[in-house]
Amino acid sequence: MAGLSALRIGTGLVTVAPPKCVSSILESKLLEVMTDPMPDSSHPHLSMEAYSELLTFSQNKSALGIGPGLGVSEHTTTLLMNLLPQLSVPCLLDADALNGLADHVEIFANMQFPPILTPHPGEMARLMGGSLSAKCINEDRLTIAKQFAQQHRAIVVLKGARTLVAEPGGNIAICPTGNPGMASAGMGDVLTGMITGLLAQGVPAWEAAQAGVYIHGLAGDVAAAVIGQTGLIASDVISAIPQAL
């Protein structure tokens, strides 16, 4: 879904880098998205065995989106801790990348480009050290997103109703688009692909985060206007991206 969303937002070439053991499955599902299989390991997730090839992979890309489908393990976390400071292109971290780094948030300030982080309230709570619940995050969304962005030199996209975008300089934006039908599985993967696709087209990170969030919500509104909010799924939003643009 992230790969298809990146294509729909206008990225000319999109490549997914899965472990070799699942590459054939992705290749059978993705007609337009390229795949670049990474070395397997004795573990079910990407680990340090893939480090060299992932670093080479990153050097030939305009932007990277990391997290959807990644899985959480100590081996993957070790890989991310070694890889992220070496990345020389803009990067978005979502889903299992955030979950795996929840105890290592200092890594964000050590990256060459301030990363875009796209947590939902539960992931935000984990990034905060687990001291707050998702309910507490939602009760003080503005303050938490702004402070985390400033403290960790990152652009924070705190998803929810209304999604917030905060940047290290203290600016914060509130998204007016989107609807309750988008509270279903996979919507975050779509957003990851859209923002990463904008980064790949040269849009600066702060603007890419805001535009991606806005167009993501607008595509959801476009799709809901046709089929309704009940039963709205992520692939409906992907299909509506060109019309939203």
Side-chain angles (χ1 to χ4, degrees), residues 134-154:
K135 181 176 183 292
C136 292
I137 296 292
N138 275 330
E139 289 173 349
D140 199 12
R141 291 166 56 81
L142 280 164
T143 300
I144 288 171
K146 182 177 180 179
Q147 289 182 349
F148 194 93
Q150 291 176 314
Q151 291 171 3
H152 298 285
R153 203 174 73 90

Side-chain angles (χ1 to χ4, degrees), residues 1 5 24-26 36 46 50 55 59 73 75 88 106 113 133 136-137 142 173 186 196 202 216 223-224 231 238 240:
M1 287 186 287
S5 301
S24 61
I25 298 172
L26 285 176
D36 191 346
L46 290 173
L55 185 58
Q59 292 167 346
S73 74
H75 307 286
S88 57
E106 71 280 355
F113 290 88
S133 66
C136 292
I137 296 292
L142 280 164
T196 305
H216 177 256
I238 296 173

Side-chain angles (χ1 to χ4, degrees), residues 16 18 27 44 47 52 57 72 78 114 140 160 168 171 181 187 216 244-245:
V16 175
E27 289 171 0
S47 61
S52 295
F57 173 89
V72 178
T78 300
D140 199 12
N171 293 307
M187 293 291 179
H216 177 256
L245 286 170

Side-chain angles (χ1 to χ4, degrees), residues 57-135:
F57 173 89
S58 73
Q59 292 167 346
N60 298 316
K61 300 296 178 287
S62 301
L64 296 170
I66 303 174
L70 186 65
V72 178
S73 74
E74 60 179 307
H75 307 286
T76 304
T77 299
T78 300
L79 172 64
L80 291 175
M81 293 291 290
N82 283 272
L83 181 65
L84 293 181
Q86 306 303 319
L87 298 180
S88 57
V89 296
C91 180
L92 181 149
L93 302 175
D94 182 32
D96 283 342
L98 298 178
N99 291 325
L101 294 168
D103 294 328
H104 307 280
V105 293
E106 71 280 355
I107 193 72
F108 304 139
N110 294 327
M111 295 175 65
Q112 296 181 35
F113 290 88
I116 298 175
L117 315 178
T118 58
H120 57 57
E123 291 162 344
M124 190 75 240
R126 288 188 279 277
L127 291 174
M128 298 285 290
S131 58
L132 298 175
S133 66
K135 181 176 183 292

